[in-house]
Amino acid sequence: MTALFALATALLWGLADFGGGLLTRRLPALTVVVVSQVLAVVALGAVVLGTGAWREAGPQLWFAVAAGLVGPVAMLSFYKALALGPMGVVSPLGSLGVVVPVAAGLALGERPGLGQFAGIAVAVVGIVLAGGPELRGAPVQRQAVVLTLTAAFGFGAVMALIAHASSGVTGLFLALFVQRVTNVAAGGAALWVRTRRGTPALPAGTGPRVLWGLLPALAFVGLADVAANGTYSVAAQHGPVTVAAVLSSLYPVITALAAFVVLKERLRTVQAAGAGLALAGTVLLAAG
């Protein structure tokens, strides 16, 4: 069950990142984050009311609040790092956030078998290579590296925190709702500050109509991200966090494959090799 839900997480996160990347070509990144999370809050709010999940409120929800505060910081740091580039270095470095939940699992006493340790090592190398790291070319700005590592730590921290935000399915709905409300509050405040400083929330020369036309895509990104957090939480609760975290972090492979299928982007040799190693690591983890 852990492997199945973790791989579902990778699929959902990979598609959400691909969709979000496409949307940021039309809208500012912060607007994409805020609007997609608002739509997710609406959907989750209906689920919480319909299932009575609000009765599951307890101290564990502070983990969801913390995840909701860290998430927007990580995402915005990642987008800014991508803008500074080169993307071929930033993208794979961002996936190193898997170290955080793996370390948390080991600290809590998890001891994967030898085959699983091998699978973790192979999969992490594959994940980094699947991003297509640039081994030669323009030097990387120090600010880009700092922002990327900040984002990576944030992504990993969200994975570790959300795994402890609930103990059951109903409570998970409430935890995800609280996380997204916090996301919207933090992201909305940042968006308000930016607009007050003169940075428009929508591209110059456009109005709310462009946002309305992109609502289905924004809803997909927000709901896919929420679903990924949910499936990851289930995976982490029903098996080793070390295994769940590594398998869930295969999402860069999914994003690269989506770009290959939809945008006809050619996979570089290093990306194809990385995808193969990630698959091999997945097999080792599942077999262990």
Side-chain angles (χ1 to χ4, degrees):
M1 176 178 287
T2 296
L4 179 63
F5 278 95
L7 290 174
T9 301
L11 176 65
L12 290 166
W13 264 335
L15 294 177
D17 280 358
F18 176 70
L22 289 181
L23 285 169
T24 54
R25 297 180 180 182
R26 303 280 303 276
L27 300 170
L30 186 54
T31 300
V32 172
V33 172
V34 173
V35 176
S36 64
Q37 297 310 304
V38 167
L39 296 173
V41 165
V42 172
L44 280 170
V47 173
V48 168
L49 290 175
T51 60
W54 51 271
R55 299 187 184 93
E56 301 288 333
Q60 73 277 6
L61 288 181
W62 287 110
F63 287 106
V65 173
L69 290 173
V70 172
V73 175
M75 184 62 70
L76 292 176
S77 296
F78 190 61
Y79 280 141
K80 190 169 183 179
L82 286 173
L84 293 173
M87 292 186 181
V89 174
V90 171
S91 179
L93 279 180
S95 64
L96 293 179
V98 66
V99 171
V100 177
V102 167
L106 294 175
L108 292 173
E110 291 184 3
R111 293 296 180 266
L114 183 60
Q116 289 180 318
F117 266 121
I120 289 172
V122 172
V124 169
V125 172
I127 291 166
V128 174
L129 293 180
E134 294 179 7
L135 304 179
R136 292 174 294 182
V140 185
Q141 295 185 40
R142 180 178 299 178
Q143 184 182 5
V145 174
V146 172
L147 286 169
T148 303
L149 294 179
T150 299
F153 177 82
F155 292 146
V158 169
M159 294 172 71
L161 289 166
I162 202 64
H164 296 283
S166 69
S167 57
V169 175
T170 305
L172 178 58
F173 291 139
L174 180 60
L176 293 175
F177 176 72
V178 170
Q179 179 196 12
R180 298 302 148 166
V181 169
T182 309
N183 276 347
V184 170
L191 186 61
W192 180 79
V193 170
R194 288 190 61 182
T195 54
R196 293 280 293 180
R197 292 178 176 177
T199 303
L202 294 174
T206 65
R209 183 174 298 179
V210 67
L211 190 63
W212 181 260
L214 294 174
L215 279 184
L218 288 162
F220 171 79
V221 169
L223 293 175
D225 187 46
V226 166
N229 278 266
T231 52
Y232 174 75
S233 182
V234 173
Q237 290 172 8
H238 289 82
V241 173
T242 48
V243 174
V246 172
L247 291 180
S248 297
S249 295
L250 293 173
Y251 62 88
V253 179
I254 303 299
T255 303
L257 291 176
F260 173 75
V261 173
V262 178
L263 302 178
K264 309 303 180 184
E265 291 184 358
R266 295 184 59 186
L267 289 178
R268 296 164 55 194
T269 302
V270 67
Q271 289 177 297
L277 285 174
L279 179 60
T282 300
V283 173
L284 287 172
L285 282 167

